[in-house]
Amino acid sequence: MISLLDATKEYIDKFKGIRISTRPDCIDSEVLDVLKRYKITSIELGAQSMCDEVLKANNRGHSVQDVYNASELIKKYRFSLGLQMMTGLYKASVDSDLETANKFIDIKPDTVRIYPTVVMKNTALEDLYNNGEYSSPSLDETVNLCSKLLLMFDENNISVIRMGLHHSESLENDMVAGTYHPSFRELCESKIMFDKLLSLLRDNNIEGDCEVLVSPFCVSKLVGNKKSNLIRLNELGYNIKITQSDSIKYMEIALKN
């Protein structure tokens, strides 16, 4: 760790700081004293789940209490705290993933990353998948869950700085099952926009043709991947015209007139 940090010395003044990630059970005062000297500014913990049964089933090697302890210590040292969670793990459920998010919110990290589980070749999880002991959630199921998680964190002023895995050759070549999409966050945000618009239409007893106003940055989110939102709305009897407006806040929708 120190040899890697030494390599940053001649460059550190050119940057605002360094972000690192580690396991919750690798944090103690000795480690944090070292990181403070090297101008580390942000520490992310691979918590993955806040359910001990899930952590044990996935051989994570740390406990929920380790996450609490490490988070408290990191905040005490005044580092920016990030927490990473995985949805759809072995033995996890929608309820346990929502519980993880709620416990994250209680901890009040500065940032969160959300990673849906992907099954890779030559892993214990692949064996469980092939034996029928593990069933991977579908893309739609994962989008439905993660769109809720995104809203939960947003409502509590916790920034979600990543959703879904970065593309890599190993992911492309060795993925067996699970949820991966190059625009996963966009899918989640589109789901949120669809739900908001449908609720707005129904609350105002609107049927048939309708014109709505959205931020220019959110048009594609409302339209949906391959126009999926407009198609679904059309199937429900709505013919939506979308107009861009700089006066509408990001991820918000308004009815024209």
Side-chain angles (χ1 to χ4, degrees):
M1 180 182 73
I2 290 175
S3 67
L4 290 170
L5 291 170
D6 279 338
T8 71
K9 283 184 175 179
E10 63 179 294
Y11 307 104
I12 188 60
D13 291 336
K14 299 178 181 178
F15 301 95
K16 291 183 179 179
I18 300 174
R19 180 195 304 272
I20 65 168
S21 62
T22 188
R23 296 169 54 90
D25 52 330
C26 288
I27 292 294
D28 57 29
S29 294
E30 182 182 6
V31 168
L32 294 180
D33 284 336
V34 172
L35 297 180
K36 205 71 175 178
R37 290 200 301 270
Y38 282 89
K39 298 185 180 180
I40 302 300
T41 51
S42 177
I43 301 174
E44 296 188 23
L45 299 177
Q48 317 313 1
S49 174
M50 293 296 280
C51 175
D52 278 322
E53 180 186 358
V54 174
L55 293 174
K56 185 176 180 181
N58 289 273
N59 297 318
R60 282 296 303 164
H62 72 264
S63 67
V64 170
Q65 191 59 50
D66 289 328
V67 179
Y68 282 122
N69 293 344
S71 297
E72 183 179 358
L73 203 52
I74 288 168
K75 293 173 80 172
K76 181 180 178 181
Y77 271 73
R78 298 191 176 182
F79 291 99
S80 174
L81 172 65
L83 296 176
Q84 301 173 3
M85 70 176 289
M86 293 179 69
T87 65
L89 284 164
Y90 177 51
K91 294 290 186 181
S93 65
V94 170
D95 286 342
S96 69
D97 287 338
L98 290 170
E99 179 185 352
T100 291
N102 278 315
K103 288 182 176 179
F104 275 18
I105 290 167
D106 289 340
I107 293 172
K108 295 182 173 63
D110 299 295
T111 62
V112 164
R113 295 179 193 256
I114 303 172
Y115 294 118
T117 299
V118 170
V119 183
M120 302 294 284
K121 290 179 183 177
N122 303 317
T123 61
L125 191 57
E126 184 192 18
D127 294 336
L128 292 169
Y129 177 78
N130 290 335
N131 293 335
E133 296 179 59
Y134 171 73
S135 178
S136 180
S138 68
L139 177 61
D140 283 346
E141 289 171 332
T142 306
V143 168
N144 286 341
L145 170 61
C146 290
S147 62
K148 292 177 183 177
L149 299 179
L150 182 57
L151 276 175
M152 289 170 65
F153 290 125
D154 183 61
E155 288 167 357
N156 286 277
N157 298 313
I158 298 170
S159 177
V160 178
I161 58 175
R162 180 72 196 180
M163 297 186 73
L165 292 168
H166 290 278
H167 178 268
S168 67
E169 286 189 17
S170 62
L171 179 62
E172 185 176 333
N173 297 331
D174 297 334
M175 177 176 167
V176 176
T179 299
Y180 169 73
H181 191 284
S183 301
F184 181 70
R185 186 183 188 119
E186 185 87 1
L187 295 182
C188 294
E189 291 177 336
S190 289
K191 175 68 168 64
I192 291 171
M193 293 292 280
F194 175 86
D195 290 342
K196 283 186 176 183
L197 178 53
L198 188 58
S199 177
L200 188 64
L201 294 171
R202 288 175 172 172
D203 288 347
N204 287 274
N205 297 315
I206 293 189
E207 300 177 357
D209 295 346
C210 179
E211 185 172 357
V212 298
L213 306 174
V214 296
S215 162
F217 301 103
C218 293
V219 173
S220 63
K221 303 180 195 303
L222 184 55
V223 170
N225 185 44
K226 298 180 180 178
K227 298 185 178 181
S228 57
N229 283 351
L230 295 185
I231 292 171
R232 288 179 63 194
L233 288 164
N234 191 254
E235 290 171 350
L236 292 171
Y238 298 103
N239 180 33
I240 304 299
K241 178 183 178 182
I242 301 173
T243 299
Q244 300 180 29
S245 173
D246 292 326
S247 65
I248 304 300
K249 293 181 180 179
Y250 187 77
M251 293 295 289
E252 294 297 330
I253 307 169
L255 298 173
K256 188 169 185 181
N257 302 323

